[in-house]
Every structure is written in structure tokens, then in C-alpha cells.
Amino acid sequence: MAAAQNVITDLNMAITVTVSVQKPPAPHGYISISRKKLLQNLEISAGARVNAWVDSMRASSPTHIKSTPSLSDDQGSWNLHHPSALDMFEQIIDASKGKKIVMFLDYDGTLSPIVEDPDRAFMSKKMRKTVRKLAKCFPTAIVSGRCRDKVYKFVKLDELYYAGSHGMDIKGPEKRSKSNKVSESVLFQPASEFLPMIDEVYKQLVDTTKSTTGAKVENNKFCVSVHFRCVDEKKWGELAQKVRSVLKEYPKLRLTQGRKVLEIRPTIIWNKGKALEFLLESLGFANCTDVFPVYIGDDRTDEDAFKILRDRGQGFGILVSKFPKETSASYSLQEPDEVMNFLRRLVEWKQLSLRAQSRMGKGPVALTPCRVNSNGSCTLSDPQHTTSDKSRASAIL
């Protein structure tokens, strides 16, 4: 793929920011792909291109990763480099002392389990309650490849920031003034001009793939997702060929992959990492050294955000995966249940910290991180501050 041009393309963007910050950054431009080069890249020589797609589709499947002996042998080594965020909770809190924690969460596979029908990827009531409490303690954003409106219908929490379509559709919570008037929230849509094209491609893909049993095409507003989780693996090559036949007519769109999904996106340079940077700037943390962003996600598209955090040298990424994967994340969690436990511990630690500040009538107090025990109690490293108030812990759970 050719390098991105330096010229910033005129994009039809809608930007409204409620907080007093500098003007949000515009996308850096398009990924430059000539029609001739695109057709050459998509041209299939003896099935090589489709075979490469199918190999990549297999690689995105955790079931195949699980059966790979070499990766299984490397599990211990991988865990050393990407330890459990639950096991390392105290070290994580130590690193965040004196800084403002900001939370970024993927949805599918992070807040909800991966399911066969993407329309039924509901989050549990316990997870929703946990995320609601999290948002009361820290600025919190959901960053997903799904359409923003669809993610909101799953999450149903007004106090969050939502970045849908891999960050190409961002909206913040509505703010109310003292007079109870609702002010406009953050709104950023760097790919608005692509909407007619995306709708056109969606309709073509629905028609083209309807004969492939199990294939599901989803319109995520600024991108189109072709789910193949329920497609017989023997038919993956056929499905890839059908997607290719549509995509070759649209040089301004590109193909990316996630977990059991092919995604067609505009060729602008915008992703979950750019969305993270935009949200940090909107919150007033653009050039701050005292911010501590935490990004939790399970998909390869989350790697853009992990890389941004690593490059900034601020905060860290947490990969949700049961299997070893190449990642720029610093820590790992195995499944959404572990994500929920980690978020609960963050909330409990924050609430204990606020209570201590309130009792002492002083500024921020450095507390030893707590551990939520199986019986609902919260234990601090200092035995003089050990509590077993189950009612308090149950409020978090």
C-alpha cells in the first residue's frame, strides 16, 4: 500500500466541542491508492490473492490459534511479556499515582462476549452496572468498529463517550447547564463524504453474499462489516472472492480484518488510535504529562490504540485474549469476565481513595491498592486498613 500523502484532503467534518480546548485535529489525509494499483493488488493469480485472504481469515480465528502447538509452547513466554492486569493491579495503580486516569474500552469481546449473531452481542447487567460506576470515577469512552448508534443501544449509558465505526463517528455525553439546558456535545465525523459510497457498497455486498450460507453483512455507517463466523470454512475462499469483486470497483475504500470479520473502510488515515488522541484532546489532555490513558480491547484494530499509548509513553494497553498474539499492549486479560473484575477493582480503589481524602480533609492520598476477595471484602496491603464491609463491596458488584 502506498504511503499516505501529506496533503490534507478537504473532508466534510462536523465538529462541536463542549470543553474549552484547542480545535481538534483534522485527519491527516487519505491513503493514496491508484485505481490501477488497486486492481493489480486485487488481481488473483492462480488463486494466490484469495488464498492469502483465507490464510489471514484463519489467523484471526482463536480456535485456530488454540490448536497451534508453537504458540501453545510460547504461552509462558508471552505471559511474561504481557502479564495479567489483575495480577499486576498494584503495579498499575502505582504507575498511575498523581495522574488522571482516562478509560477507553472496546465493545465486542471486551465488554460483551463474542457471539455467532453480532446483533445479539448484549452486555450483561453486571457489566453495565460496572461500566456506569467506572464512568463516575473516570472519563470513559467506548471505541468500537460498530456503528455508534448500535453500540449505544447495547450499552445504554448516556454518561459515556462513544466512538463508532473505528473512531470515524465520535459523540460525547450531553452536558446540562445550571439552568438545566442541554448543550451540544462533542461530535466528530471525519468521513462524512463517504456515506453514500458506504451505503452503495453495503447493498452490493448484501446482494453478492446472500448465497453464502452464514455470511452476514452489517452497515456500520462509516464502514461495512462482512461477518464470516457462521460460514463453513470451506466457503471462506468463495466469500473472499465475492468481497473482492465488489471492492475492486471502489479505489477509495480499503479492506481490513478483525475477529471473524472482513471490514471495508474509507482510505482516510483514521483509526482507533486517532480516535483516542482526539478524545484526549477534547477532554483537555492533549499536551498533559499527568494523564494516564488505559485502553482495553481484543481485536487487531485495537492495536492502533495500543501503539499510540506506547509511542506516547503514557498509560498502557490491555489485550483481551486467551491465546498468545503479537501485540503492542502491555498487559492482558483473558475474557470479558476478567475485564469486569479489573474495572471493579479500579472503581473500588478510586472510591476508597476518595473516602480517605474526605476523612482527612486533604488532597489526594496515595493508597495501597485493594484486593476484592471472593467473599466480597476488600483487603489492603496494610492490615490496619483491612475492611470486610460486604455491603460496600456489593455496591461495586
Side-chain angles (χ1 to χ4, degrees):
M1 186 175 292
Q5 294 178 339
N6 292 325
V7 178
I8 297 179
T9 306
D10 181 22
L11 297 176
N12 179 18
M13 298 182 296
I15 305 175
T16 310
V17 183
T18 55
V19 290
S20 57
V21 297
Q22 295 179 351
K23 185 177 179 181
H28 294 179
Y30 289 102
I31 296 174
S32 177
I33 306 177
S34 69
R35 179 174 178 78
K36 181 179 179 181
K37 184 172 181 60
L38 178 76
L39 292 175
Q40 288 175 344
N41 288 342
L42 293 176
E43 208 53 50
I44 299 176
S45 175
R49 172 59 60 176
V50 165
N51 287 340
W53 280 21
V54 172
D55 288 343
S56 183
M57 290 161 77
R58 288 197 182 102
S60 71
S61 167
T63 56
H64 286 280
I65 294 175
K66 187 176 182 179
S67 62
T68 305
S70 61
L71 287 177
S72 178
D73 294 340
D74 291 340
Q75 180 82 51
S77 175
W78 189 84
N79 288 339
L80 287 175
H81 291 90
H82 310 284
S84 167
L86 289 170
D87 294 342
M88 303 297 289
F89 187 78
E90 293 187 10
Q91 290 89 330
I92 290 170
I93 292 303
D94 284 343
S96 72
K97 284 180 180 178
K99 299 178 181 180
K100 178 71 172 179
I101 295 175
V102 183
M103 298 299 300
F104 298 89
L105 308 169
D106 183 24
Y107 183 75
D108 293 276
T110 300
L111 298 181
S112 73
I114 296 293
V115 294
E116 290 187 353
D117 183 355
D119 289 335
R120 300 190 63 79
F122 304 115
M123 72 188 303
S124 67
K125 291 181 180 179
K126 289 182 179 180
M127 180 67 87
R128 181 176 293 105
K129 186 180 295 185
T130 300
V131 174
R132 180 183 287 116
K133 290 180 179 294
L134 181 76
K136 290 180 179 179
C137 297
F138 314 104
T140 302
I142 308 293
V143 186
S144 173
R146 285 184 184 259
C147 167
R148 173 172 56 81
D149 292 339
K150 194 171 294 183
V151 175
Y152 175 78
K153 288 179 181 178
F154 280 133
V155 179
K156 299 177 182 177
L157 295 175
D158 294 330
E159 53 267 47
L160 308 182
Y161 288 82
Y162 290 88
S165 303
H166 299 286
M168 287 182 283
D169 188 9
I170 301 175
K171 190 174 187 298
E174 293 181 342
K175 306 292 183 180
R176 288 187 176 274
S177 62
K178 292 182 179 180
S179 60
N180 208 34
K181 292 183 179 180
V182 177
S183 60
E184 291 183 328
S185 59
V186 173
L187 179 64
F188 186 54
Q189 297 176 332
S192 297
E193 69 174 83
F194 288 91
L195 286 175
M197 186 183 298
I198 291 293
D199 287 338
E200 186 177 312
V201 169
Y202 167 72
K203 293 173 183 177
Q204 287 192 36
L205 285 171
V206 168
D207 183 63
T208 303
T209 63
K210 64 184 178 182
S211 61
T212 303
T213 303
K216 183 177 180 63
V217 183
E218 185 179 15
N219 188 339
N220 285 313
K221 192 170 183 177
F222 292 100
C223 61
V224 179
S225 301
V226 182
H227 300 273
F228 57 89
R229 182 168 298 278
C230 298
V231 176
D232 187 327
E233 189 172 333
K234 295 178 181 178
K235 298 290 185 179
W236 287 4
E238 175 187 308
L239 180 62
Q241 169 72 18
K242 291 177 178 180
V243 173
R244 184 205 74 90
S245 69
V246 173
L247 186 59
K248 71 178 183 179
E249 301 298 329
Y250 295 91
K252 289 187 177 182
L253 300 178
R254 62 188 174 110
L255 178 77
T256 61
Q257 274 190 237
R259 291 180 64 179
K260 292 290 186 72
V261 62
L262 297 172
E263 294 178 313
I264 292 87
R265 305 195 228 171
T267 54
I268 64 169
I269 303 175
W270 196 262
N271 51 45
K272 291 183 176 182
K274 296 293 184 183
L276 181 150
E277 289 186 309
F278 171 83
L279 285 167
L280 285 176
E281 181 160 349
S282 296
L283 289 165
F285 297 122
N287 300 308
C288 294
T289 58
D290 61 348
V291 63
F292 196 82
V294 178
Y295 189 107
I296 308 178
D298 74 307
D299 198 85
R300 66 174 62 186
T301 59
D302 297 309
E303 290 297 326
D304 293 313
F306 296 155
K307 290 173 183 175
I308 288 292
L309 293 182
R310 180 154 288 189
D311 291 344
R312 289 170 66 103
Q314 292 180 312
F316 57 82
I318 301 176
L319 175 68
V320 183
S321 177
K322 292 183 178 181
F323 315 103
K325 293 181 182 179
E326 184 177 348
T327 181
S328 293
S330 301
Y331 300 99
S332 65
L333 293 168
Q334 291 201 1
E335 56 192 0
D337 281 347
E338 287 199 355
V339 173
M340 183 166 60
N341 289 337
F342 178 80
L343 299 181
R344 285 173 173 174
R345 290 182 66 177
L346 271 179
V347 171
E348 178 74 359
W349 166 78
K350 182 65 173 180
Q351 291 187 344
L352 285 173
S353 177
L354 292 175
R355 286 171 187 152
Q357 292 176 37
S358 177
R359 287 196 301 268
M360 299 178 68
K362 296 180 179 180
V365 178
L367 289 182
T368 301
C370 68
R371 179 175 292 105
V372 178
N373 303 316
S374 58
N375 64 357
S377 65
C378 182
T379 303
L380 300 179
S381 296
D382 183 352
Q384 294 181 356
H385 294 88
T386 300
T387 67
S388 56
D389 185 349
K390 292 184 179 180
S391 62
R392 175 167 55 79
S394 64
I396 304 299
L397 307 179

